Amino acid sequence: MPANGVCSVGLEVIEDTATYASGSDSAGVSEDEDVQQLFVNGTHRVTSVSLPKKSDARAKLSQQSDDGKVMSEKRYASLPNREQHQQFLTEFLTEVLNSAVFNATDRSNKVLNWVDPEELKRTLDLAIKDEPDTHEKLLELTRATIRHSVKTGHPYFMNQLFSSVDPYGFAGQVLTDALNPSVYTFEVSPVFVLMEEVVLREMRSIVGYPNGDGDGIFAPGGSMANGYAISCARHKFMPDIKTTGLHALPRLVIFTSEDAHYSVKKLASFMGIGSDNVYAIKTDNIGKIRTDHLESEILRAKSEGALPFMVSATAGTTVIGAFDPLEQIADLCAKYNLWMHVDAAWGGGALMSKKYRTLLKGIERSDSVTWNPHKLLAAPQQCSTLLTRHRNILSECHSTNATYLFQKDKFYDTRYDTGDKHIQCGRRADVLKFWFMWRAKGSAGFEQHIDKVFENAEHFTNSIKARPGFEMVIENPECTNVCFWYVPPGLRSVPRDSAEFRERLHKVAPRVKERMMKEGSMMITYQPIHDKPNFFRLVLQNSSLDKSDMNYIIDEIERLGKDL
């Protein structure tokens, strides 16, 4: 396995005595006081943690009475103060850094410690209680939660279209939670309203919308971003639907690839359009939408008296990683006056690379784009965006002008009260972690990240093509999804066109997946598609991996499956 670095973490706690305002229980802490200082050196592993001794105050708060109840003043109160919480938070953050960040991403440690569901229910103390736990018990529960969770930041977690613990994204996430904002008005989220404006404009510019003009939103996941696109497209063609609803309207039809993300159908159903009115367009042998079938389906819908209004193309399909022919789709959308949406939740990160952005050629002609930085760009979950070239359409489509929140007679420019264009009210500042990463790495850093993960995918592909027993599902992957079969030695002599071969091959990937999870050595997903038996899908998004990691993955699959 690749070599591991060593990291040492120490926390220095400022043992200031909390001060209280006269007649108040609240801790008075000046803005320039430092609660703690974190010193983190090295790269991968925490081998020593230096902790301060318990303060007398902490010991007092941890006392228990004879009946086992925690003795603490106003533990129900939500306000933090140094006397009661500083030591606990220091130990808690140390445990998180040690176990959930550094050790959890160390190649020499497991991706997970597998426990069967029923046993895990017996093992974990999850019961809700009337009386509060001690701080020691809470730290014990913290350790148990980390111990039994999948370490999705581990280099060998490649199971979904997200992974890694980016240190700057993590820092931004921590700061987000500490500030606990809700991004709907400038008065409560002044920094984040402006930050969203800057980041969304830059993303629209990278997509290719002139001057970055248009509109956008951070949404709770790519599925909801696709839903926003459907909503905006429908509003553009039938603005009266906002007030009159679906009654007496023509049957609306959306077109998308048969390999598109399920959210297009799900959100069409949710919005009353109906999943039957999402026409699935056939794909070619490498997973791209067939534009000849798309045009014939558009004409079929029109002949049926329906109203086609939207095409949802995909840039990086979930399984194969295929990029639909966006320029040809844009031509058809222009020809038939359809809204062109591009679901680039996965593949959108390639736009950051001069070498690989050509995969999305034509995206600049779209009406809207879903782009999830938490996928290919490795921002922490969740970080999803909907971008559109149409100014103000989100507000026109969704605003209700609630006067208790979006008053128009405020003392500042209420254009910065952006919350009314969302279907949510309360909304996290998902922008901060991404903005913080962007400032820490620069656009050049994101480009290097993208180039590295594509380089890894190319090396892995070439390696398994040269290794006996490995066969490609798609000979030349476009994205960092590498789909392949492992054919164990005992199956290689079985005729390929036989039912026996197909049935036995279909069982290989699930058995290998079971073994890797029970050993905790790595996590790679598998699935069938169309008429193909189960195959592995390696998804590469973590730029800390190198060629030796690619070789380890191949060797490990072979080790786990050679006797099947």
Side-chain angles (χ1 to χ4, degrees):
M1 290 187 187
N4 299 296
V6 176
C7 176
S8 172
V9 177
L11 282 85
E12 176 185 344
V13 179
I14 311 301
E15 293 289 354
D16 289 350
T17 302
T19 58
Y20 297 87
S22 177
S24 171
D25 290 330
S26 301
V29 181
S30 62
E31 289 184 3
D32 60 350
E33 287 179 318
D34 292 325
V35 175
Q36 62 184 30
Q37 295 176 345
L38 300 180
F39 302 94
V40 180
N41 301 297
T43 54
H44 286 95
R45 191 174 184 183
V46 175
T47 56
S48 63
V49 178
S50 176
L51 289 175
K53 295 180 179 179
K54 288 183 181 179
S55 66
D56 292 340
R58 167 67 195 280
K60 177 182 176 182
L61 289 165
S62 298
Q63 288 178 351
Q64 293 190 349
S65 62
D66 293 338
D67 61 1
K69 294 182 179 180
V70 177
M71 299 284 290
S72 59
E73 290 186 13
K74 297 190 176 179
R75 276 286 290 273
Y76 65 84
S78 301
L79 185 68
N81 66 72
R82 294 194 184 203
E83 182 180 3
Q84 186 169 359
H85 301 113
Q86 179 171 297
Q87 182 74 21
F88 166 70
L89 290 175
T90 298
E91 293 187 33
F92 174 81
L93 289 170
T94 298
E95 189 65 53
V96 170
L97 285 172
N98 188 344
S99 301
V101 176
F102 293 109
N103 282 347
T105 57
D106 186 332
R107 287 168 173 80
S108 66
N109 291 329
K110 291 183 176 183
V111 176
L112 74 159
N113 295 291
W114 173 258
V115 180
D116 286 322
E118 293 304 317
E119 183 182 348
L120 187 59
K121 285 165 65 175
R122 292 190 296 269
T123 301
L124 287 178
D125 178 9
L126 299 178
I128 303 301
K129 305 172 183 178
D130 288 337
E131 298 300 325
D133 283 319
T134 64
H135 284 170
E136 285 82 1
K137 178 62 176 178
L138 294 175
L139 291 170
E140 178 188 319
L141 295 171
T142 300
R143 287 187 285 271
T145 299
I146 295 170
R147 182 167 58 253
H148 291 293
S149 292
V150 175
K151 310 309 184 292
T152 62
H154 195 288
Y156 300 146
F157 176 86
M158 295 154 286
N159 203 66
Q160 261 75 42
L161 303 183
F162 71 90
S163 67
S164 80
V165 179
D166 184 273
Y168 302 107
F170 172 75
Q173 186 92 300
V174 170
L175 182 54
T176 300
D177 288 341
L179 293 172
N180 194 32
S182 187
V183 189
Y184 38 51
T185 62
F186 180 82
E187 66 181 281
V188 297
S189 288
V191 174
F192 302 121
V193 165
L194 299 180
M195 191 181 285
E196 282 193 344
E197 185 178 82
V198 169
V199 170
L200 291 169
R201 175 174 287 276
E202 185 64 22
M203 293 179 77
R204 290 193 298 267
S205 180
I206 291 169
V207 165
Y209 295 155
N211 302 314
D213 287 345
D215 206 348
I217 183 177
F218 276 81
S223 293
M224 289 304 300
N226 286 339
Y228 273 113
I230 295 170
S231 181
C232 289
R234 186 174 66 175
H235 180 82
K236 182 176 183 293
F237 284 90
M238 312 193 80
D240 288 346
I241 202 170
K242 180 178 179 180
T243 53
T244 62
L246 298 171
H247 300 288
L249 293 176
R251 181 166 65 90
L252 303 175
V253 175
I254 301 170
F255 307 92
T256 196
S257 159
E258 63 181 340
D259 293 343
H261 193 262
Y262 65 84
S263 59
V264 178
K265 277 194 172 184
K266 180 173 285 191
L267 269 296
S269 176
F270 179 78
M271 295 171 63
I273 293 171
S275 58
D276 285 350
N277 293 315
V278 178
Y279 286 18
I281 308 303
K282 294 177 182 177
T283 54
D284 62 19
N285 60 355
I286 57 173
K288 294 175 178 288
I289 209 170
R290 280 179 39 195
T291 52
D292 60 332
H293 188 237
L294 173 60
E295 184 165 24
S296 69
E297 288 293 272
I298 293 170
L299 293 173
R300 177 170 77 88
K302 292 171 73 73
S303 70
E304 294 168 346
L307 178 63
F309 76 105
M310 178 182 184
V311 175
S312 181
T314 309
T317 55
T318 303
V319 177
I320 300 298
F323 290 78
D324 286 340
L326 302 182
E327 288 188 301
Q328 294 171 261
I329 293 171
D331 289 341
L332 288 176
C333 288
K335 180 177 180 180
Y336 293 104
N337 191 31
L338 305 176
W339 180 285
M340 178 183 173
H341 175 63
V342 180
D343 179 359
W346 172 231
L351 290 166
M352 303 296 287
S353 168
K354 290 185 287 290
K355 181 177 181 181
Y356 294 102
R357 68 169 289 122
T358 54
L359 291 167
L360 297 99
K361 189 177 181 182
I363 195 171
E364 70 281 358
R365 297 174 61 187
S366 67
D367 291 283
S368 59
V369 171
T370 291
W371 179 0
N372 288 8
H374 75 239
K375 291 189 174 177
L376 205 50
L377 292 179
Q381 288 267 36
Q382 61 193 16
C383 191
S384 305
T385 63
L386 183 279
L387 311 167
T388 175
R389 66 167 60 251
H390 301 280
R391 286 187 181 182
N392 302 319
I393 193 166
L394 283 161
S395 179
E396 293 169 4
C397 184
H398 303 122
S399 64
T400 55
N401 299 308
T403 55
Y404 63 85
L405 191 58
F406 305 111
Q407 304 94 333
K408 300 303 181 184
D409 55 353
K410 293 180 179 179
F411 63 92
Y412 60 84
D413 188 344
T414 56
R415 288 179 303 168
Y416 293 103
D417 288 356
T418 57
D420 208 15
K421 68 182 181 182
H422 312 139
I423 59 172
Q424 298 169 258
C425 182
R427 192 169 59 92
R428 283 176 54 86
D430 288 330
V431 64
L432 176 55
K433 55 203 168 194
F434 183 45
W435 175 86
F436 205 77
M437 287 176 65
W438 209 332
R439 292 295 295 263
K441 301 167 186 283
S443 297
F446 277 139
E447 180 171 25
Q448 290 173 308
H449 165 85
I450 292 297
D451 290 350
K452 181 63 181 293
V453 295
F454 273 87
E455 176 188 319
N456 283 336
E458 290 161 11
H459 175 80
F460 186 89
T461 298
N462 293 333
S463 296
I464 62 173
K465 284 182 178 180
R467 182 77 72 98
F470 289 84
E471 299 182 11
M472 299 293 296
V473 176
I474 300 296
E475 193 67 18
N476 297 300
E478 288 188 291
C479 199
T480 63
N481 314 43
V482 186
C483 299
F484 61 96
W485 290 285
Y486 173 63
V487 183
L491 188 54
R492 293 172 198 172
S493 60
V494 178
R496 294 304 179 92
D497 57 353
S498 67
E500 179 190 357
F501 179 84
R502 181 182 178 85
E503 290 170 6
R504 288 177 60 184
L505 181 62
H506 190 65
K507 296 175 182 178
V508 170
R511 286 298 309 279
V512 173
K513 176 69 176 288
E514 177 186 354
R515 291 175 176 183
M516 71 172 69
M517 288 189 65
K518 288 183 174 179
E519 290 192 18
S521 60
M522 61 185 185
M523 279 185 69
I524 298 174
T525 192
Y526 69 87
Q527 65 282 300
I529 190 171
H530 305 312
D531 61 344
K532 293 179 170 62
N534 280 323
F535 55 86
F536 291 104
R537 180 196 62 170
L538 176 72
V539 283
L540 294 169
Q541 173 257 16
N542 188 334
S543 56
S544 71
L545 276 68
D546 55 27
K547 292 180 180 178
S548 63
D549 294 310
M550 301 301 101
N551 297 335
Y552 165 77
I553 294 163
I554 298 169
D555 291 342
E556 185 68 0
I557 289 175
E558 191 169 50
R559 181 184 74 83
L560 294 168
K562 63 184 178 182
D563 65 332
L564 295 176

